[in-house]
Amino acid sequence: MAKPSIYASLEFLNEFEWQLQRLSLLIEVLEGLAVSARDLHDVLSILLRDVHIKR
């Protein structure tokens, strides 16, 4: 059985690399937002506890 071969043009490979870089950047941004959301949740929890203590 012959091994299938895939041939891609240089233009396709350049575009593919560009899209992978964009995806990588998007993942980094989303991971940063996830950390920020977690930090925001922690801060809001602390503030809520303080409000309950002061009542």
Side-chain angles (χ1 to χ4, degrees):
M1 179 179 220
K3 292 183 180 181
S5 297
I6 297 175
Y7 297 98
S9 69
L10 186 57
E11 180 181 345
F12 173 82
L13 293 175
N14 286 337
E15 180 65 24
F16 185 68
E17 181 181 18
W18 171 245
Q19 294 300 331
L20 285 176
Q21 289 175 1
R22 289 181 65 202
L23 180 59
S24 177
L25 180 59
L26 177 62
I27 290 169
E28 288 181 33
V29 167
L30 291 176
E31 286 174 347
L33 290 176
V35 170
S36 297
R38 186 172 32 241
D39 291 344
L40 177 61
H41 180 268
D42 291 345
V43 169
L44 291 175
S45 296
I46 291 168
L47 290 173
L48 185 60
R49 257 185 277 139
D50 288 348
V51 167
H52 286 298
I53 291 171
K54 292 180 181 179
R55 284 189 178 181

